[in-house]
Amino acid sequence: MKQNIYDNPIFFKEYTSLRESGVTYNDFVEQPAIKSVISTIRDKSILDLGCGTGEFAKYCIENGAWKVVGVDISENMIEKAKRENQDENIDYICESIEDLELKDLKFDIIISSLAVHSLAVHYMEDYTNLIVKVHNLLAKNGEFLFSTEHPIVTARKEMNSWVKDSDGNKLHWALDHYQEEGKREQHWYMDGVIKYHRTISTLINTLIENGFVLEKITEPQSIPVGLEKMPKLVNEKRRPSFIVIKSRKLDSLPF
Amino acid sequence: MKQNIYDNPIFFKEYTSLRESGVTYNDFVEQPAIKSVISTIRDKSILDLGCGTGEFAKYCIENGAWKVVGVDISENMIEKAKRENQDENIDYICESIEDLELKDLKFDIIISSLAVHSLAVHYMEDYTNLIVKVHNLLAKNGEFLFSTEHPIVTARKEMNSWVKDSDGNKLHWALDHYQEEGKREQHWYMDGVIKYHRTISTLINTLIENGFVLEKITEPQSIPVGLEKMPKLVNEKRRPSFIVIKSRKLDSLPF
């Protein structure tokens, strides 16, 4: 199912105003991790799955990429991207990953960042299908880099998993249902946002079984300025919200 | 520091009697996972780090390995191994991994199982040193397979991390301090058993950075008979106790 919460007007408004504040988990935790892990962008062709309003696509061009294709399921996002982050070397396409057809195009780097995450991995029901599709779209030895919510955070079926004392202090993070993969329903500006929980082993083994070599896993913490501007980010030390996985397409291994 | 709790007489007695019961996490969760993940043993040379009383070494010989070297820091364990699981193709050595010297010997498979875990990875202060040592001891494209306590389980500094209601029902697993790697003190038959917590990313990236390719991660659950004989193993669905990591030494990647 192709969930498109970003074309719900209430959600889009709230989300846009959050992102424009510049004070988010993405600004201080996830995006710095993605940018520190991604290989050299210069002269590369890049496919940005879930490009949202195009900030990362623009960042790639500013850092020397020769071509970026940004894909998002949300018309709202793509319109805003075309308005605010246009460039002659960026193509924006409004499409779901399931329906995406880019015949003959191959990319050096494919990225799926949860920063603007109408296509984020934790919203996708069929993870294997995504991996196979990405493999087909990558050039030889191309890179696939994605961020997703950490399995520690998606595991428990009940929402809001910090356990607090009577004064509101966070005692610990409540973990449960880890091995039960599948749907998790969440309230995030609106009811009924559907996510999919997967274990660490599923996230990683599916990549390996489908022709990728794992290069690096990052469980990011906040950059220092984030701890000043959003003091609650100190809790990222207690349990990571995100995981960033970098892998490389491999046509054959020497054994 | 080379911790050797297994030569503490009280600990050894309790531990031996637990293991001999045949009703343990190792019997129903960890060992089945190791045996299902390990590559073909036939005609292979195997180094068993933390061989304990030699059951796994004997299992390897029974399954066609041509040579097994079992290493353990505990004299008690090695004596028992020589008594109960001797074979002309097994050598038992009483030594710490830190001091282990096996000049010119190279192995097809190196295993470190927490089943008999005086050398288990979560007791080792210097993980990188272990990985480098294992890399040196492996033949070309050799396999390194190990089990360790899951970071979800080692993270929190307080012991006994199930949170229970007033009737003793387990409500959820308490997670905390995930990013603070290092010492954790535990009571396990005796006070002051020292473990080391490491994140998932450290466990995996250290392998990759030191010349291994990750092949598979397993977060095992109980086999069916375990759920009958040890009903509490149903909790392994709620959070995994162990993680099993299979990797392969790689001299060069094709990029």
Side-chain angles (χ1 to χ4, degrees), chain A residues 141 150 152 156 163 171-180 199-201 204-205 208 214-217 219-221 236-240 248-250 252-255, chain B residues 141 150 152 156 163 171-180 199-201 204-205 208 214-217 219-221 236-240 248-250 252-255:
Chain A
N141 299 334
H150 200 293
I152 284 173
R156 192 160 174 253
V163 176
L171 296 175
H172 57 257
W173 182 257
L175 182 75
D176 210 342
H177 316 118
Y178 183 82
Q179 300 284 10
E180 293 179 59
T199 62
I200 299 267
S201 23
I204 291 173
N205 295 340
I208 295 171
L214 189 71
E215 290 205 329
K216 187 166 188 163
I217 291 182
E219 295 165 302
Q221 299 184 46
E236 296 302 294
K237 280 186 203 281
R238 303 178 67 177
R239 63 96 190 86
R248 196 162 295 282
K249 176 178 179 170
L250 194 61
S252 64
L253 272 172
F255 45 77
Chain B
N141 298 334
H150 200 294
I152 285 173
R156 192 159 173 253
V163 175
L171 296 175
H172 58 257
W173 182 258
L175 181 77
D176 210 343
H177 316 118
Y178 183 82
Q179 301 284 10
E180 292 178 59
T199 61
I200 299 265
S201 26
I204 290 173
N205 295 341
I208 295 171
L214 190 70
E215 290 206 327
K216 187 168 187 160
I217 292 183
E219 295 165 300
Q221 299 184 46
E236 296 302 295
K237 280 187 203 280
R238 302 179 66 178
R239 63 95 190 85
R248 196 163 294 282
K249 176 178 178 170
L250 194 61
S252 64
L253 271 172
F255 45 77

Coordinates of all heavy atoms in Angstrom, one line a residue, chain A residues 141 150 152 156 163 171-180 199-201 204-205 208 214-217 219-221 236-240 248-250 252-255, chain B residues 141 150 152 156 163 171-180 199-201 204-205 208 214-217 219-221 236-240 248-250 252-255:
Chain A
N141 N 28.8 -1.5 -8.7 CA 29.4 -1.0 -7.4 C 28.9 0.3 -6.9 O 29.5 1.0 -6.1 CB 31.0 -0.9 -7.6 CG 31.6 -2.2 -7.9 OD1 31.1 -3.3 -7.6 ND2 32.8 -2.2 -8.6
H150 N 15.0 3.4 14.1 CA 15.8 2.2 14.7 C 14.8 1.2 15.2 O 13.8 1.5 15.8 CB 16.6 2.7 15.9 CG 17.8 1.8 16.3 ND1 17.6 0.6 16.8 CD2 19.1 2.0 16.2 CE1 18.7 0.0 17.0 NE2 19.7 0.8 16.6
I152 N 14.8 -0.5 17.7 CA 14.6 -0.4 19.2 C 13.4 0.6 19.4 O 12.7 0.4 20.4 CB 15.9 0.3 19.8 CG1 17.0 -0.8 20.0 CG2 15.6 0.9 21.2 CD1 18.3 -0.3 20.5
R156 N 8.0 -1.7 20.0 CA 6.9 -1.9 20.9 C 5.6 -1.4 20.2 O 5.5 -0.3 19.5 CB 7.2 -1.1 22.1 CG 6.2 -1.4 23.3 CD 6.8 -0.9 24.6 NE 5.9 -1.1 25.7 CZ 5.4 0.0 26.3 NH1 5.6 1.2 25.9 NH2 4.5 -0.2 27.4
V163 N 9.3 5.5 29.7 CA 8.6 5.3 31.0 C 9.0 6.4 31.9 O 10.2 6.7 32.1 CB 8.9 4.0 31.6 CG1 8.2 3.8 32.9 CG2 8.4 2.9 30.6
L171 N 12.6 7.5 33.0 CA 13.3 6.4 33.7 C 14.0 5.5 32.8 O 15.2 5.1 33.1 CB 12.3 5.6 34.6 CG 11.5 6.4 35.6 CD1 10.5 5.6 36.3 CD2 12.5 6.9 36.7
H172 N 13.4 5.1 31.8 CA 14.0 4.2 30.8 C 13.1 4.1 29.6 O 12.0 4.5 29.6 CB 14.3 2.8 31.4 CG 13.1 2.1 31.9 ND1 12.7 2.1 33.3 CD2 12.0 1.5 31.3 CE1 11.6 1.4 33.4 NE2 11.1 1.1 32.2
W173 N 13.7 3.5 28.5 CA 12.9 3.3 27.3 C 12.3 1.9 27.4 O 12.9 0.9 27.8 CB 13.8 3.3 26.1 CG 13.1 3.1 24.8 CD1 13.1 2.0 24.0 CD2 12.3 4.1 24.1 NE1 12.4 2.2 22.9 CE2 11.9 3.5 22.9 CE3 12.0 5.4 24.3 CZ2 11.1 4.2 22.0 CZ3 11.2 6.1 23.4 CH2 10.7 5.5 22.3
A174 N 11.0 1.8 27.1 CA 10.3 0.5 27.2 C 10.4 -0.2 25.8 O 9.9 0.3 24.8 CB 8.8 0.7 27.6
L175 N 10.9 -1.4 25.9 CA 11.1 -2.2 24.6 C 10.2 -3.5 24.8 O 10.1 -4.1 25.8 CB 12.6 -2.6 24.5 CG 12.9 -3.4 23.3 CD1 12.9 -2.6 22.0 CD2 14.3 -4.1 23.4
D176 N 9.6 -3.9 23.7 CA 8.8 -5.1 23.7 C 8.5 -5.5 22.2 O 8.8 -4.7 21.3 CB 7.5 -4.8 24.4 CG 7.0 -6.1 25.1 OD1 7.4 -7.2 24.7 OD2 6.1 -6.0 26.0
H177 N 8.0 -6.7 22.0 CA 7.5 -7.2 20.7 C 8.6 -7.1 19.6 O 8.3 -7.0 18.5 CB 6.3 -6.4 20.3 CG 5.3 -6.1 21.3 ND1 5.0 -4.9 21.8 CD2 4.5 -7.0 22.1 CE1 4.0 -4.9 22.7 NE2 3.8 -6.2 22.9
Y178 N 9.9 -7.2 20.0 CA 10.9 -7.0 19.1 C 10.8 -8.0 17.9 O 11.1 -7.6 16.7 CB 12.3 -7.2 19.7 CG 13.5 -6.9 18.8 CD1 13.9 -5.6 18.6 CD2 14.1 -7.9 18.2 CE1 15.0 -5.3 17.7 CE2 15.2 -7.7 17.3 CZ 15.6 -6.4 17.1 OH 16.6 -6.1 16.2
Q179 N 10.5 -9.2 18.1 CA 10.6 -10.2 17.0 C 9.3 -10.2 16.2 O 9.2 -10.9 15.2 CB 10.8 -11.6 17.6 CG 12.1 -11.8 18.3 CD 13.4 -11.8 17.4 OE1 13.3 -11.6 16.2 NE2 14.5 -12.2 18.0
E180 N 8.3 -9.5 16.6 CA 7.0 -9.4 15.9 C 7.1 -8.3 14.8 O 6.7 -7.2 15.1 CB 5.8 -9.2 16.8 CG 5.6 -10.4 17.7 CD 4.4 -10.0 18.7 OE1 3.3 -9.8 18.2 OE2 4.6 -10.1 19.9
T199 N 13.3 -6.1 12.3 CA 14.5 -6.3 13.2 C 15.8 -5.9 12.5 O 15.8 -5.7 11.3 CB 14.6 -7.8 13.6 OG1 14.9 -8.6 12.4 CG2 13.4 -8.4 14.3
I200 N 16.8 -5.7 13.3 CA 18.1 -5.4 12.8 C 18.5 -6.5 11.8 O 19.1 -6.2 10.7 CB 19.2 -5.4 13.9 CG1 18.9 -4.4 15.0 CG2 20.6 -5.3 13.3 CD1 19.6 -3.1 14.7
S201 N 18.3 -7.8 12.1 CA 18.7 -8.8 11.2 C 18.0 -8.8 9.9 O 18.6 -9.0 8.8 CB 18.6 -10.2 11.9 OG 17.7 -10.3 12.9
I204 N 19.4 -5.9 7.7 CA 20.8 -6.2 7.2 C 20.8 -7.4 6.3 O 21.4 -7.4 5.2 CB 21.8 -6.3 8.3 CG1 21.9 -4.9 9.0 CG2 23.1 -6.9 7.9 CD1 22.7 -4.9 10.2
N205 N 20.2 -8.5 6.7 CA 20.3 -9.7 5.9 C 19.6 -9.6 4.5 O 20.1 -10.2 3.5 CB 19.7 -10.9 6.7 CG 20.5 -11.3 7.9 OD1 21.7 -10.9 8.1 ND2 19.9 -12.0 8.8
I208 N 22.1 -8.1 2.2 CA 23.2 -9.1 1.9 C 22.6 -10.2 0.9 O 23.3 -10.5 -0.1 CB 23.8 -9.7 3.1 CG1 24.4 -8.6 4.0 CG2 24.7 -10.8 2.8 CD1 24.9 -9.1 5.4
L214 N 27.6 -4.8 3.1 CA 27.4 -3.8 4.1 C 28.7 -3.1 4.3 O 29.8 -3.7 4.5 CB 27.0 -4.5 5.4 CG 26.5 -3.5 6.5 CD1 25.2 -2.9 6.1 CD2 26.4 -4.3 7.8
E215 N 28.6 -1.7 4.3 CA 29.9 -1.0 4.5 C 29.9 -0.3 5.9 O 31.0 -0.1 6.4 CB 30.0 0.1 3.4 CG 30.3 -0.5 2.1 CD 31.1 0.4 1.1 OE1 30.8 1.7 1.2 OE2 31.8 0.0 0.3
K216 N 28.8 0.1 6.4 CA 28.8 0.8 7.7 C 27.4 1.0 8.2 O 26.5 1.2 7.5 CB 29.4 2.2 7.5 CG 29.7 2.9 8.8 CD 30.6 4.1 8.7 CE 30.9 4.7 10.1 NZ 32.0 5.5 10.1
I217 N 27.3 0.8 9.5 CA 26.1 1.1 10.3 C 26.4 2.3 11.2 O 27.4 2.3 11.9 CB 25.6 -0.1 11.1 CG1 25.2 -1.2 10.1 CG2 24.5 0.3 12.0 CD1 24.7 -2.4 10.9
E219 N 24.5 4.6 14.3 CA 23.4 4.9 15.2 C 23.6 6.3 15.7 O 24.3 6.4 16.8 CB 23.3 3.8 16.3 CG 23.0 2.4 15.7 CD 23.4 1.3 16.7 OE1 24.5 1.2 17.1 OE2 22.4 0.5 17.0
P220 N 23.2 7.3 15.0 CA 23.7 8.6 15.3 C 23.2 9.2 16.6 O 22.1 9.0 17.1 CB 23.1 9.4 14.1 CG 22.0 8.7 13.6 CD 22.2 7.2 13.9
Q221 N 24.0 10.1 17.2 CA 23.6 10.9 18.3 C 23.5 12.4 17.7 O 23.8 12.6 16.6 CB 24.7 10.9 19.4 CG 24.8 9.4 20.0 CD 25.8 9.4 21.1 OE1 25.8 10.2 22.0 NE2 26.7 8.4 21.1
E236 N 19.1 10.8 23.0 CA 19.6 9.9 21.9 C 20.8 9.1 22.4 O 21.1 8.1 21.8 CB 20.0 10.7 20.7 CG 18.9 11.5 20.0 CD 17.8 10.5 19.6 OE1 18.0 9.7 18.7 OE2 16.7 10.6 20.2
K237 N 21.4 9.5 23.5 CA 22.4 8.7 24.1 C 21.8 7.4 24.8 O 22.5 6.4 25.0 CB 23.2 9.5 25.2 CG 24.2 10.4 24.8 CD 24.9 11.0 26.0 CE 25.6 12.3 25.8 NZ 26.9 12.2 25.1
R238 N 20.6 7.6 25.3 CA 20.0 6.5 26.0 C 19.4 5.4 25.1 O 19.3 4.3 25.5 CB 18.9 7.1 27.0 CG 19.5 8.2 27.9 CD 18.5 8.9 28.8 NE 17.9 7.9 29.7 CZ 17.1 8.2 30.7 NH1 16.6 9.5 30.7 NH2 16.6 7.3 31.5
R239 N 19.0 5.8 24.0 CA 18.5 4.9 23.0 C 18.5 5.6 21.6 O 18.0 6.8 21.6 CB 17.2 4.2 23.3 CG 16.0 5.2 23.4 CD 15.2 5.2 22.1 NE 14.3 6.3 22.1 CZ 14.5 7.6 21.7 NH1 15.8 7.9 21.4 NH2 13.6 8.5 21.7
P240 N 19.0 5.0 20.6 CA 19.0 5.8 19.3 C 17.7 5.8 18.6 O 17.0 4.8 18.6 CB 20.0 4.9 18.5 CG 20.0 3.6 19.0 CD 19.6 3.7 20.5
R248 N 26.9 -1.4 -0.5 CA 27.4 -1.3 -1.9 C 26.9 -2.4 -2.7 O 27.0 -3.6 -2.3 CB 28.9 -1.2 -1.9 CG 29.5 -0.6 -3.2 CD 30.9 -0.1 -3.0 NE 31.0 1.0 -2.1 CZ 30.7 2.3 -2.5 NH1 30.4 2.5 -3.7 NH2 30.8 3.3 -1.6
K249 N 26.5 -2.2 -3.9 CA 26.1 -3.2 -4.9 C 27.3 -4.0 -5.3 O 28.4 -3.4 -5.6 CB 25.4 -2.6 -6.1 CG 25.1 -3.6 -7.2 CD 24.4 -2.8 -8.3 CE 24.0 -3.8 -9.4 NZ 23.2 -3.1 -10.4
L250 N 27.2 -5.3 -5.3 CA 28.4 -6.1 -5.7 C 27.9 -7.1 -6.7 O 27.0 -7.9 -6.4 CB 28.8 -6.8 -4.4 CG 30.2 -7.4 -4.4 CD1 31.2 -6.4 -4.6 CD2 30.4 -8.1 -3.1
S252 N 29.9 -9.6 -7.9 CA 30.5 -10.9 -7.5 C 31.5 -10.7 -6.4 O 32.2 -9.7 -6.4 CB 31.1 -11.6 -8.7 OG 32.2 -10.9 -9.1
L253 N 31.5 -11.7 -5.5 CA 32.5 -11.7 -4.5 C 33.6 -12.7 -4.9 O 33.3 -13.6 -5.6 CB 31.9 -12.2 -3.1 CG 31.3 -11.1 -2.2 CD1 30.6 -11.7 -1.1 CD2 32.4 -10.1 -1.7
P254 N 34.8 -12.4 -4.4 CA 35.9 -13.3 -4.8 C 35.9 -14.7 -4.1 O 37.0 -15.2 -3.9 CB 37.2 -12.5 -4.5 CG 36.7 -11.6 -3.3 CD 35.3 -11.4 -3.6
F255 N 34.8 -15.2 -3.7 CA 34.8 -16.6 -3.2 C 33.4 -17.1 -3.4 O 32.4 -16.4 -3.7 CB 35.1 -16.6 -1.7 CG 34.5 -15.6 -0.8 CD1 33.2 -15.7 -0.4 CD2 35.2 -14.5 -0.4 CE1 32.6 -14.8 0.4 CE2 34.7 -13.5 0.4 CZ 33.4 -13.7 0.8
Chain B
N141 N 39.8 -16.3 3.0 CA 38.4 -16.4 2.9 C 37.8 -17.2 4.0 O 36.7 -17.8 3.9 CB 37.9 -16.9 1.6 CG 38.3 -16.0 0.4 OD1 38.4 -14.8 0.6 ND2 38.5 -16.5 -0.8
H150 N 23.2 -9.7 23.3 CA 22.7 -8.6 22.5 C 22.8 -7.2 23.1 O 22.6 -7.1 24.3 CB 21.2 -8.9 22.2 CG 20.7 -8.2 21.0 ND1 20.6 -6.8 20.8 CD2 20.2 -8.7 19.8 CE1 20.1 -6.5 19.7 NE2 19.9 -7.6 19.0
I152 N 21.0 -4.9 23.2 CA 19.7 -4.5 23.9 C 19.7 -5.0 25.3 O 19.1 -4.3 26.2 CB 18.5 -5.1 23.1 CG1 18.2 -4.4 21.8 CG2 17.3 -5.2 24.0 CD1 17.1 -5.0 20.9
R156 N 21.8 -1.4 29.6 CA 21.4 -0.7 30.8 C 22.3 -1.1 31.9 O 22.7 -2.2 32.1 CB 19.9 -1.1 31.2 CG 19.3 -0.2 32.2 CD 17.8 -0.2 32.2 NE 17.2 0.4 33.3 CZ 16.6 -0.2 34.3 NH1 16.5 -1.5 34.3 NH2 16.0 0.5 35.2
V163 N 10.8 -5.0 33.6 CA 9.9 -4.2 34.5 C 8.7 -5.0 34.7 O 8.0 -5.5 33.7 CB 9.6 -2.8 33.9 CG1 8.7 -2.1 34.8 CG2 10.9 -2.1 33.7
L171 N 6.2 -6.5 32.2 CA 5.5 -5.5 31.4 C 6.2 -5.1 30.1 O 5.7 -4.9 29.1 CB 5.3 -4.2 32.2 CG 4.4 -4.4 33.5 CD1 4.4 -3.1 34.3 CD2 3.0 -4.7 33.0
H172 N 7.5 -4.9 30.3 CA 8.4 -4.6 29.1 C 9.8 -4.7 29.6 O 10.1 -4.8 30.7 CB 8.0 -3.2 28.6 CG 8.2 -2.1 29.6 ND1 7.2 -1.5 30.3 CD2 9.3 -1.5 30.1 CE1 7.6 -0.6 31.1 NE2 8.9 -0.6 31.1
W173 N 10.7 -4.6 28.6 CA 12.1 -4.6 28.9 C 12.6 -3.2 29.0 O 12.3 -2.3 28.1 CB 12.9 -5.3 27.7 CG 14.4 -5.4 27.9 CD1 15.3 -4.7 27.4 CD2 15.1 -6.4 28.8 NE1 16.6 -5.0 27.8 CE2 16.4 -6.1 28.7 CE3 14.6 -7.4 29.6 CZ2 17.4 -6.8 29.3 CZ3 15.6 -8.1 30.3 CH2 17.0 -7.9 30.1
A174 N 13.4 -2.9 30.0 CA 13.9 -1.5 30.2 C 15.3 -1.3 29.5 O 16.2 -2.0 29.8 CB 14.0 -1.2 31.7
L175 N 15.3 -0.4 28.6 CA 16.5 -0.1 27.9 C 17.0 1.3 28.3 O 16.2 2.2 28.4 CB 16.2 -0.1 26.4 CG 17.4 0.1 25.5 CD1 18.3 -1.1 25.4 CD2 16.9 0.5 24.1
D176 N 18.3 1.4 28.4 CA 18.9 2.7 28.7 C 20.4 2.7 28.4 O 21.0 1.6 28.2 CB 18.6 3.0 30.2 CG 18.5 4.6 30.4 OD1 19.0 5.3 29.6 OD2 18.0 4.9 31.5
H177 N 21.1 3.8 28.4 CA 22.5 3.9 28.3 C 23.1 3.3 27.1 O 24.3 2.8 27.1 CB 23.2 3.3 29.6 CG 22.5 3.7 30.9 ND1 22.0 2.8 31.7 CD2 22.4 4.9 31.5 CE1 21.5 3.4 32.8 NE2 21.7 4.7 32.7
Y178 N 22.3 3.2 26.0 CA 22.7 2.4 24.9 C 24.1 2.9 24.3 O 24.9 2.1 23.9 CB 21.7 2.5 23.8 CG 22.0 1.6 22.6 CD1 21.8 0.3 22.5 CD2 22.6 2.2 21.4 CE1 22.1 -0.5 21.4 CE2 22.9 1.4 20.3 CZ 22.7 0.1 20.4 OH 23.0 -0.7 19.3
Q179 N 24.2 4.2 24.2 CA 25.5 4.7 23.6 C 26.7 4.8 24.5 O 27.8 5.1 24.1 CB 25.2 6.1 23.0 CG 24.1 6.2 22.0 CD 24.5 5.7 20.6 OE1 25.5 5.1 20.4 NE2 23.6 5.9 19.6
E180 N 26.5 4.4 25.8 CA 27.6 4.4 26.7 C 28.3 3.1 26.8 O 27.9 2.2 27.6 CB 27.2 4.8 28.1 CG 26.7 6.3 28.2 CD 26.2 6.6 29.6 OE1 27.0 6.5 30.6 OE2 25.0 6.9 29.8
T199 N 27.7 -1.2 21.2 CA 26.5 -1.0 20.3 C 26.6 -2.0 19.1 O 27.6 -2.5 18.8 CB 26.5 0.4 19.8 OG1 27.7 0.6 19.0 CG2 26.5 1.4 20.9
I200 N 25.5 -2.1 18.5 CA 25.4 -2.9 17.2 C 26.4 -2.3 16.2 O 27.1 -3.1 15.5 CB 24.0 -2.7 16.6 CG1 22.9 -3.3 17.5 CG2 24.0 -3.4 15.2 CD1 22.5 -4.7 17.2
S201 N 26.5 -1.0 16.1 CA 27.4 -0.4 15.1 C 28.8 -0.8 15.4 O 29.6 -1.1 14.5 CB 27.1 1.1 14.9 OG 26.6 1.7 16.0
I204 N 29.6 -4.4 14.5 CA 29.6 -4.7 13.0 C 30.7 -3.9 12.3 O 31.5 -4.4 11.5 CB 28.3 -4.4 12.4 CG1 27.3 -5.6 12.9 CG2 28.3 -4.4 10.9 CD1 25.9 -5.3 12.5
N205 N 30.8 -2.6 12.6 CA 31.8 -1.8 11.9 C 33.2 -2.2 12.2 O 34.1 -2.1 11.3 CB 31.6 -0.3 12.3 CG 30.3 0.2 11.8 OD1 29.6 -0.3 10.9 ND2 29.8 1.3 12.4
I208 N 34.1 -4.9 9.8 CA 34.2 -4.4 8.4 C 35.5 -3.6 8.3 O 36.3 -3.8 7.3 CB 33.0 -3.6 8.0 CG1 31.7 -4.4 8.0 CG2 33.2 -2.9 6.7 CD1 30.4 -3.7 7.8
L214 N 30.5 -8.9 6.2 CA 29.4 -9.5 7.0 C 28.6 -10.4 6.1 O 28.2 -10.0 5.0 CB 28.6 -8.3 7.5 CG 27.5 -8.7 8.6 CD1 28.2 -9.1 9.9 CD2 26.5 -7.6 8.8
E215 N 28.3 -11.6 6.7 CA 27.5 -12.5 5.9 C 26.1 -12.7 6.4 O 25.1 -12.9 5.7 CB 28.1 -13.9 5.8 CG 29.4 -13.9 4.9 CD 29.7 -15.2 4.4 OE1 29.5 -16.3 5.0 OE2 30.3 -15.2 3.3
K216 N 25.9 -12.7 7.7 CA 24.6 -12.8 8.3 C 24.6 -12.4 9.8 O 25.5 -12.7 10.5 CB 24.2 -14.3 8.1 CG 22.7 -14.5 8.5 CD 22.2 -15.9 8.1 CE 20.7 -16.0 8.4 NZ 20.1 -17.1 7.7
I217 N 23.4 -11.9 10.1 CA 23.2 -11.6 11.6 C 22.0 -12.4 12.0 O 21.0 -12.4 11.3 CB 22.9 -10.1 11.8 CG1 24.2 -9.3 11.5 CG2 22.4 -9.8 13.2 CD1 24.0 -7.8 11.8
E219 N 19.3 -13.0 15.3 CA 18.9 -12.7 16.6 C 17.9 -13.8 17.0 O 16.7 -13.8 16.8 CB 18.1 -11.3 16.6 CG 19.1 -10.2 16.2 CD 18.4 -8.9 15.9 OE1 17.6 -8.9 14.9 OE2 18.6 -7.9 16.5
P220 N 18.5 -14.9 17.6 CA 17.8 -16.1 17.7 C 16.6 -16.1 18.7 O 16.7 -15.4 19.7 CB 18.8 -17.2 18.1 CG 19.9 -16.4 18.8 CD 19.9 -15.0 18.1
Q221 N 15.6 -16.9 18.4 CA 14.5 -17.2 19.3 C 14.7 -18.7 19.7 O 15.6 -19.4 19.2 CB 13.2 -17.0 18.6 CG 12.9 -15.6 18.2 CD 11.6 -15.4 17.6 OE1 10.6 -15.8 18.2 NE2 11.5 -14.7 16.5
E236 N 12.0 -14.4 24.7 CA 12.9 -14.1 23.6 C 12.3 -13.4 22.4 O 12.9 -12.8 21.6 CB 13.7 -15.3 23.2 CG 14.6 -16.0 24.3 CD 15.6 -15.0 24.8 OE1 16.5 -14.6 24.1 OE2 15.5 -14.6 26.0
K237 N 11.0 -13.6 22.3 CA 10.2 -12.9 21.2 C 10.1 -11.4 21.6 O 10.0 -10.6 20.7 CB 8.8 -13.4 21.1 CG 8.6 -14.7 20.4 CD 7.1 -15.0 20.3 CE 6.8 -16.4 20.1 NZ 6.9 -16.8 18.7
R238 N 10.1 -11.1 22.8 CA 9.9 -9.7 23.3 C 11.2 -8.9 23.2 O 11.1 -7.7 22.9 CB 9.3 -9.7 24.7 CG 8.0 -10.5 24.8 CD 7.5 -10.6 26.1 NE 7.0 -9.2 26.6 CZ 6.4 -9.0 27.7 NH1 6.2 -10.0 28.6 NH2 6.1 -7.8 28.1
R239 N 12.3 -9.6 23.4 CA 13.6 -8.9 23.2 C 14.7 -10.0 23.1 O 14.6 -11.0 23.9 CB 13.9 -7.9 24.3 CG 14.1 -8.5 25.6 CD 15.5 -8.8 26.0 NE 15.6 -9.5 27.2 CZ 15.5 -10.8 27.3 NH1 15.3 -11.6 26.2 NH2 15.7 -11.4 28.5
P240 N 15.6 -10.0 22.1 CA 16.5 -11.1 22.0 C 17.6 -11.0 23.0 O 18.1 -9.9 23.3 CB 17.1 -10.8 20.6 CG 16.9 -9.4 20.3 CD 15.7 -8.9 21.1
R248 N 33.2 -13.1 7.0 CA 34.2 -13.8 6.2 C 35.4 -12.9 6.0 O 35.2 -11.7 5.7 CB 33.6 -14.3 4.9 CG 34.4 -15.3 4.2 CD 33.6 -16.1 3.1 NE 32.6 -16.8 3.7 CZ 32.7 -18.0 4.3 NH1 33.9 -18.6 4.4 NH2 31.6 -18.6 4.8
K249 N 36.6 -13.5 6.2 CA 37.8 -12.7 5.9 C 37.9 -12.5 4.4 O 37.7 -13.4 3.6 CB 39.0 -13.6 6.4 CG 40.4 -13.0 6.1 CD 41.5 -13.8 6.6 CE 42.8 -13.3 6.3 NZ 43.9 -14.0 7.0
L250 N 38.3 -11.3 4.1 CA 38.4 -10.9 2.7 C 39.7 -10.2 2.4 O 40.0 -9.2 3.1 CB 37.2 -10.0 2.4 CG 36.9 -9.7 1.0 CD1 36.5 -11.0 0.3 CD2 35.8 -8.7 0.9
S252 N 40.7 -8.9 -0.5 CA 40.4 -7.7 -1.3 C 39.0 -7.7 -1.9 O 38.5 -8.8 -2.2 CB 41.4 -7.6 -2.4 OG 41.3 -8.7 -3.3
L253 N 38.4 -6.6 -2.0 CA 37.1 -6.4 -2.6 C 37.3 -5.9 -4.0 O 38.3 -5.2 -4.3 CB 36.2 -5.4 -1.8 CG 35.4 -6.0 -0.7 CD1 34.8 -4.8 0.1 CD2 34.3 -6.9 -1.2
P254 N 36.4 -6.3 -4.9 CA 36.6 -5.9 -6.3 C 36.2 -4.4 -6.6 O 35.8 -4.1 -7.7 CB 35.6 -6.9 -7.0 CG 34.5 -7.2 -6.1 CD 35.2 -7.1 -4.7
F255 N 36.4 -3.6 -5.6 CA 36.3 -2.1 -5.9 C 37.1 -1.4 -4.9 O 37.5 -1.9 -3.9 CB 34.9 -1.6 -5.9 CG 34.1 -2.1 -4.7 CD1 34.2 -1.6 -3.4 CD2 33.1 -3.1 -4.8 CE1 33.5 -2.0 -2.3 CE2 32.4 -3.6 -3.7 CZ 32.6 -3.0 -2.5

